[in-house]
Amino acid sequence: MMPMLEVKNIETYYGAVQALRGISFDVNEGEIVTLIGSNGAGKSTTLKSISGLAKVKTGSIFYKDKEISNRPPHETTLLGIAHVPEGRRIFGNLTVKENLLMGAFSVKGKQVIEERMEFVFGHFPRLKERLSQKGGTMSGGEQQMLAIGRALMMNPDVLMLDEPSMGLAPIIVEQIFEIILQLNKMGITILLVEQNAYQALSIAHRGYVIQNGSIVLSGKGTELIENDEIKEAYLA
Amino acid sequence: MLLEMFQTLPQVLIDGLTLGAVYAVVALGYTMVYGILQLINFAHGEIFMTGAFIGTALFIMIMGWGSAIPQILLLIIVLVITASITGFIGVGMERIAYRPLRNAPRLIPLITAIGISFVLQDVIRFIAELTSGNYIVTGPSLFSENINLKTSAISSVFNDASFKTSFLIVLTVAILLMITLDFFVNRTKWGTAMRAVALDRETAALMSINVNKVISITFFIGSALGGATGVLFALQYGTIDPYIGFILGLKAFIAAVLGGIGNIRGAMLGGIMLGVMEMFAAANLSLLTGGIFGAEYKDVFAFAILILVLIFKPEGLLGKPTAEKV
Ligand SMILES: Nc1ncnc2c1ncn2[C@@H]1O[C@H](COP(=O)(O)OP(=O)(O)O)[C@@H](O)[C@H]1O
Ligand SMILES: [Mg+2]
């Protein structure tokens, strides 16, 4: 079986600065795959290259057997790839409801949008109580829930999450990871970027370690947790 | 002295509101584009001027075919056609001149905008001279009946106020335009998308929003409003030239800054305030200064107030100190 998402030897630059130096990995349908690595390694750039926020200079990206490299982000999301960016990036001046509706921007039909919203409230009941509150006035954990909920409004096949645990209290991180697992069980393929390596590896089927714009290690989540190098560098 | 100020107050309010409404609608164009691109589109004043010329040409043309059309219907037709044309000019301007410079340093699109201003002034001047032999053009007189408002009946401190019907038309149309825009921005899907793009372009794109399309729509709406206001201006003042966009555009821009650039309701408030202050100054300056400054110093007075506001509230009246936009 072909992988659902396949990244082949991509190199991405910011101006003259090379951020990715030939990254290759794949994600199969139904998997949770995690990319771990320290700050500045190139994790976010990898997700941006897939969604189209960053331009890939060489290499290619395939999604469901179609080449999607360098498509604009509003097109890749339409293909079913949702990208929850680092730092949540809630529209602070928009209400919770408006934020969710933006997630459903390309969705046709009031009925469908209502149903999706109920689906989101099923996972994040807190959002339902806050519908008319401005997104920017919510706590970090609530904003992360809104960011994920907003992405779910697209009904994605692949959900890419960039450091969803960043800056959150351990108990909230627990909840978020629990929800990621639930979403995966419902059939959503997950590509999870984390600095919080232990937690990410413990829920992931497979993981890749990025260092300096290259993949230096890969394997099953459970294997990587046991790996001595990883223990030393990321789980200390 | 106070009594004299009260006497002229009804007239000051009517004239000020009308002028202010014109500033406000033009200010919307500046503020919308700034909100979404952080670009000061100095050519917007010339879009207004272009609208005034297109409107006048249409008035002359359509009335030449026969004067059977009711004035109101004529006005609506001219407004719609002019707004569509200037809307598309705005879209084309963004597409050709600003989009290629999207990632260039801020100063570069600003200079481009000034360049476009000159181009539009000269093109309009050329066409006007070619077709009418003169670049100063006078349109037909419409809605010119005088209305007398018996404000003295409310209280004897007020004088009566009088104005042409066209004032009422200008005020009504401008307010309708503002209400419609406010509804669009705050209550519709594309309006919400516009606010989302203004807040965070990248994340908006991740919501499947075509950012370039939203920017085009913003330019269309801003320029359509600017062009429509040009028609209203031509209606009210009759005589226009290719350079009317400069000072009016500058004042509308100042109105946008006064209200908090990037903030739509702020632009409306700033425009109305500037208009009323200007008219107040025109009526009372000589009185207030014992004849030292006459009505011709009205702009100085208005700008002095602007400077005062900006000293104490640099982000503008409705602007937030944070980077809040639209
Ligand atoms: N907008 C940008 N402009 C220039 N360099 C950038 C930009 N974003 C990231 N980089 C650089 O690219 C490299 C990878 O960054 P990033 O993908 O954000 O890493 P990570 O997400 O793993 O922390 C870093 O060296 C970073 O400094
Ligand atoms: Mg990152």
Side-chain angles (χ1 to χ4, degrees):
Chain A
M1 193 184 73
M2 287 283 288
M4 190 170 201
L5 182 67
E6 193 173 12
V7 174
K8 282 186 174 165
N9 208 21
I10 55 169
E11 299 190 8
T12 302
Y13 288 74
Y14 294 102
V17 180
Q18 184 168 11
L20 302 186
R21 303 167 187 277
I23 294 248
S24 301
F25 67 95
D26 48 57
V27 181
N28 296 309
E29 189 164 359
E31 270 189 316
I32 300 181
V33 170
T34 184
L35 307 177
I36 59 175
S38 47
N39 201 11
K43 306 180 297 295
S44 298
T45 307
T46 305
L47 295 194
K48 286 184 193 172
S49 303
I50 296 170
S51 62
L53 284 178
K55 274 224 148 37
V56 173
K57 193 158 183 186
T58 62
S60 43
I61 300 167
F62 290 91
Y63 173 70
K64 292 181 176 171
D65 297 341
K66 250 188 296 184
E67 159 114 52
I68 60 159
S69 332
N70 290 334
R71 292 214 192 180
H74 66 267
E75 288 180 17
T76 53
T77 46
L78 282 180
L79 296 173
I81 305 174
H83 179 178
V84 180
E86 185 178 319
R88 335 193 203 293
R89 306 279 283 266
I90 291 305
F91 299 116
N93 270 344
L94 268 53
T95 64
V96 169
K97 186 173 184 189
E98 286 172 331
N99 268 281
L100 290 173
L101 288 177
M102 286 296 99
F105 186 78
S106 60
V107 180
K108 300 267 184 298
K110 251 195 156 89
Q111 179 89 35
V112 186
I113 294 176
E114 291 284 321
E115 284 168 16
R116 298 239 176 116
M117 231 183 245
E118 285 307 321
F119 174 79
V120 170
F121 297 150
H123 290 281
F124 305 108
R126 198 101 52 99
L127 296 181
K128 192 169 184 170
E129 301 155 20
R130 305 272 162 116
L131 273 183
S132 52
Q133 188 175 335
K134 291 257 163 96
T137 63
M138 297 203 302
S139 73
E142 288 164 346
Q143 289 194 16
Q144 188 61 61
M145 293 177 187
L146 178 55
I148 297 175
R150 186 174 66 177
L152 290 176
M153 293 297 289
M154 300 172 205
N155 191 24
D157 297 326
V158 178
L159 184 61
M160 304 198 295
L161 300 157
D162 196 341
E163 302 208 31
S165 74
M166 192 206 265
L168 300 183
I171 184 164
I172 310 281
V173 176
E174 249 351 285
Q175 283 177 23
I176 302 257
F177 275 75
E178 183 53 41
I179 286 163
I180 294 172
L181 268 175
Q182 281 175 22
L183 293 172
N184 178 248
K185 292 220 172 80
M186 300 180 67
I188 301 178
T189 306
I190 309 274
L191 178 55
L192 173 66
V193 158
E194 267 298 342
Q195 277 193 59
N196 193 337
Y198 181 80
Q199 231 146 348
L201 288 172
S202 52
I203 65 163
H205 299 104
R206 292 185 300 121
Y208 293 86
V209 181
I210 304 189
Q211 211 174 71
N212 249 323
S214 308
I215 300 228
V216 291
L217 257 180
S218 66
K220 288 193 172 150
T222 45
E223 288 170 9
L224 290 175
I225 287 187
E226 298 303 324
N227 183 300
D228 287 338
E229 277 176 69
I230 292 192
K231 272 188 180 157
E232 200 167 320
Y234 306 105
L235 304 176
Chain B
M1 187 170 85
L2 211 57
L3 181 69
E4 285 175 70
M5 273 164 59
F6 267 119
Q7 283 175 342
T8 53
L9 198 60
Q11 189 75 47
V12 163
L13 281 178
I14 287 169
D15 294 349
L17 283 177
T18 308
L19 183 65
V22 168
Y23 289 158
V25 183
V26 179
L28 286 173
Y30 284 103
T31 231
M32 286 168 72
V33 166
Y34 185 86
I36 215 154
L37 285 180
Q38 286 75 54
L39 163 75
I40 298 168
N41 178 19
F42 268 117
H44 187 59
E46 272 58 46
I47 294 281
F48 159 87
M49 174 278 292
T50 305
F53 270 86
I54 295 174
T56 302
L58 286 171
F59 277 132
I60 294 172
M61 213 165 80
I62 296 175
M63 287 171 80
W65 295 338
S67 52
I69 310 171
Q71 283 191 11
I72 279 284
L73 187 63
L74 175 69
L75 175 70
I76 292 172
I77 293 171
V78 171
L79 278 174
V80 170
I81 299 177
T82 307
S84 312
I85 297 175
T86 54
F88 281 114
I89 293 176
V91 172
M93 183 167 80
E94 189 273 330
R95 189 72 194 78
I96 295 166
Y98 298 146
R99 194 174 299 180
L101 300 172
R102 185 88 50 87
N103 298 315
R106 296 264 192 97
L107 196 58
I108 298 185
L110 193 71
I111 292 167
T112 308
I114 295 170
I116 296 172
S117 297
F118 288 128
V119 170
L120 279 173
Q121 282 172 9
D122 285 348
V123 167
I124 295 292
R125 180 176 172 146
F126 178 76
I127 295 173
E129 285 184 330
L130 203 67
T131 50
S132 71
N134 192 342
Y135 67 86
I136 299 172
V137 175
T138 300
S141 164
L142 289 161
F143 303 106
S144 50
E145 313 82 69
N146 260 300
I147 297 180
N148 262 303
L149 215 56
K150 296 258 169 265
T151 33
S152 57
I154 303 172
S155 162
S156 56
V157 297
F158 296 138
N159 285 345
D160 286 348
S162 86
F163 53 92
K164 284 196 303 177
T165 321
S166 62
F167 273 60
L168 210 59
I169 298 278
V170 170
L171 194 59
T172 313
V173 174
I175 288 173
L176 281 178
L177 291 176
M178 286 191 266
I179 291 173
T180 312
L181 180 77
D182 198 78
F183 179 85
F184 170 78
V185 170
N186 291 309
R187 294 270 178 272
T188 68
K189 177 170 143 176
W190 281 94
T192 312
M194 194 181 275
R195 285 183 289 145
V197 171
L199 287 165
D200 185 341
R201 208 185 293 167
E202 281 197 341
T203 306
L206 291 179
M207 305 292 114
S208 308
I209 296 170
N210 183 341
V211 171
N212 280 331
K213 195 165 163 185
V214 170
I215 291 172
S216 289
I217 291 174
T218 306
F219 268 85
F220 183 88
I221 295 176
S223 305
L225 290 175
T229 320
V231 175
L232 298 178
F233 182 91
L235 191 74
Q236 191 177 347
Y237 297 102
T239 301
I240 53 174
D241 68 61
Y243 308 106
I244 54 170
F246 177 71
I247 188 74
L248 193 131
L250 196 64
K251 285 187 184 166
F253 171 65
I254 282 162
V257 174
L258 189 63
I261 186 110
N263 185 307
I264 284 179
R265 287 184 184 168
M268 300 181 190
L269 178 69
I272 301 277
M273 275 186 57
L274 193 65
V276 172
M277 286 190 304
E278 203 179 307
M279 282 303 160
F280 177 80
N284 298 308
L285 257 189
S286 133
L287 196 68
L288 286 169
T289 59
I292 299 170
F293 295 114
E296 65 274 19
Y297 284 90
K298 64 184 167 55
D299 291 354
V300 180
F301 176 83
F303 289 132
I305 289 192
L306 169 83
I307 290 168
L308 277 180
V309 169
L310 292 186
I311 285 172
F312 292 105
K313 213 164 179 315
E315 67 277 8
L317 292 170
L318 298 188
K320 294 265 164 69
T322 51
E324 179 175 276
K325 290 166 272 166
V326 174

